[in-house]
Amino acid sequence: MALAASLSGSGARARTGPMMPGKNKDAWGGDPWASTRRDGAGRNAVYSYVTRRLAFGGLTVVAVSIMVFMVMRILPGDPLVAIFGPEGFTKLTEKERAHYMAELGLSDPLWAQYLAWVQDILRGNFGRSFFRSESVADMILRRGPLTAEIAVISVVLSWIVGIPVAIISALRPNSVADNLARFASILFLAIPGFWLGMLIVLALLFWFGYRAPMAGASLAADPWANLQIVIGPAIVLGLGQAAYIARMARSSLLEVIREDYVRTARAKGLSGRLVIALHALPNALLPVITLSGILLGLVLAGSIPVERAFGTPGLGFAMYTAVSERDVFVMQNLVFLYAVVFVLLNILVDVTIAWLDPRIRYR
């Protein structure tokens, strides 16, 4: 009673009746429903943001599908020449050529071919190779995990190598360590991945008599053989990405460590390591995360010559073979798959950055 009397005497009001959003106030004059409305508005903003990003991504995928389809159709050469060879093609009659083109679905108008292709993709039917009995879907399921492992390992390796190099370089700008780090990053940016891969393969073969397994082995069935297959391309691609990561992280860290909150943390007596680990590095890594997402998508295209150099039976090697044989259906569907994966990775990066950085609003 005494506590109630003291609160009443100080101007506090007792809650009577049901609380109405926007009308009733709590005991301290605030709106008790404000946090609920903020949480609901925040969730709606997130859903709206993700929906917009997915819509833009869908439009991008449609545009890419049209571009891929048209490019595959305007490439010089005849698919029948690729299938039967120049001599075999000359022996075909006009009736036989028309029959084979109709079986492949290449005699229809372009708009009909495009719609049929989209319908097949929606049904999960990616067609078959001209030269092999294997379907493109089975090829993706068999070779795709190897390329995905190479991409993930290369990105992880790029962070393991690039971030420490960037920290050392940013904390001691223009020092010997900084100059060596910048020289190494420029060097690995300039060296073509497939050339470095061929050097590694030849060095292992002539010096140690070692050759990685040629047959694809799944991670679950034979982890050691799988590691031998993917580690070479992953190292080559990871070193190239580490150069990008190191340069981006260095520039971002140099900018962040000059901010007021970093100087304030140092003035409070925190050690240099704690200031970097707790204050500077988390904010400096935001653009690095964005760059890593982009690089992860670019690994798909970059893995084509690297997988060819190592003989890795992944999607990159399949793409190389399809291009050399002019296997239109395999090329068309693999390029479209690369584009879809790249768009999805960019959407995931955008949502992740907006979630990690409170300064970014879902608008």
Side-chain angles (χ1 to χ4, degrees):
M1 296 296 294
L3 177 60
S6 63
L7 289 176
S8 177
S10 62
R13 294 171 295 171
R15 294 181 179 177
T16 57
M19 299 298 296
M20 301 299 294
K23 294 182 180 180
N24 299 89
K25 304 292 183 179
D26 64 5
W28 305 103
D31 188 349
W33 297 90
S35 60
T36 303
R37 287 200 301 271
R38 283 195 298 270
D39 293 341
R43 285 193 295 268
N44 293 334
V46 172
Y47 296 151
S48 177
Y49 179 80
V50 174
T51 302
R52 288 199 307 272
R53 294 302 302 153
L54 291 175
F56 287 132
L59 293 176
T60 304
V61 168
V62 171
V64 168
S65 68
I66 296 174
M67 292 178 61
V68 169
F69 177 82
M70 296 305 299
V71 169
M72 292 296 107
R73 295 305 183 273
I74 64 177
L75 286 176
D78 194 313
L80 296 182
V81 176
I83 297 174
F84 295 98
E87 295 183 3
F89 177 77
T90 57
K91 297 178 181 179
L92 296 175
T93 63
E94 290 295 333
K95 184 177 181 180
E96 289 175 333
R97 295 175 187 175
H99 172 71
Y100 287 125
M101 292 294 284
E103 281 191 344
L104 294 173
L106 299 176
S107 60
D108 299 330
L110 290 180
W111 63 268
Q113 295 182 39
Y114 175 76
L115 292 180
W117 176 49
V118 172
Q119 291 175 359
D120 288 340
I121 289 177
L122 295 178
R123 289 196 297 263
N125 179 19
F126 294 94
R128 309 186 76 85
S129 171
F130 288 162
F131 308 99
R132 296 164 185 82
S133 59
E134 185 180 30
S135 67
V136 179
D138 292 337
M139 181 188 300
I140 293 173
L141 292 176
R142 182 170 59 87
R143 296 174 176 262
L146 290 176
T147 301
E149 289 177 43
I150 292 172
V152 173
I153 294 174
S154 64
V155 171
V156 173
L157 181 63
S158 69
W159 276 64
I160 294 175
V161 175
I163 297 301
V165 170
I167 294 174
I168 296 173
S169 183
L171 293 182
R172 299 177 180 178
N174 301 319
S175 64
V176 175
D178 182 28
N179 292 328
L180 289 176
R182 285 188 289 179
F183 172 78
S185 63
I186 295 174
L187 180 64
F188 283 107
L189 285 176
I191 294 178
F194 67 91
W195 182 79
L196 182 59
M198 288 189 294
L199 288 183
I200 294 175
V201 170
L202 292 175
L204 292 176
L205 182 62
F206 288 109
W207 293 349
F208 304 102
Y210 172 78
R211 174 69 178 176
M214 298 296 294
S218 65
L219 183 61
D222 193 344
W224 174 240
N226 178 269
L227 180 62
Q228 294 180 74
I229 293 172
V230 302
I231 192 62
I235 290 176
V236 171
L237 293 172
L239 290 176
Q241 293 182 66
Y244 287 103
I245 295 296
R247 293 183 67 84
M248 174 63 75
R250 177 185 181 275
S251 300
S252 181
L253 197 56
L254 283 175
E255 180 180 354
V256 168
I257 59 179
R258 297 187 179 97
E259 296 291 338
D260 292 338
Y261 63 88
V262 175
R263 289 196 293 266
T264 302
R266 287 174 175 170
K268 289 181 177 180
L270 288 179
S271 64
R273 293 183 179 181
L274 288 178
V275 170
I276 296 297
L278 299 180
H279 297 278
L281 191 58
N283 290 284
L285 289 181
L286 292 175
V288 179
I289 294 174
T290 303
L291 179 62
S292 297
I294 297 174
L295 291 176
L296 183 59
L298 294 177
V299 164
L300 293 174
S303 67
I304 296 175
V306 175
E307 286 187 11
R308 177 66 184 87
F310 282 92
T312 305
L315 287 180
F317 195 96
M319 174 63 81
Y320 171 83
T321 305
V323 171
S324 62
E325 296 175 346
R326 205 182 183 281
D327 201 337
V328 176
F329 291 154
V330 175
M331 285 192 295
Q332 180 173 285
N333 286 286
L334 287 183
V335 172
F336 179 71
L337 175 66
Y338 290 168
V340 171
V341 171
F342 191 80
V343 169
L344 291 177
L345 286 174
N346 275 273
I347 294 175
L348 180 62
V349 168
D350 289 343
V351 175
T352 303
I353 291 299
W355 175 63
L356 291 175
D357 192 349
R359 296 170 297 181
I360 298 177
R361 294 293 179 261
Y362 295 100
R363 294 177 182 174

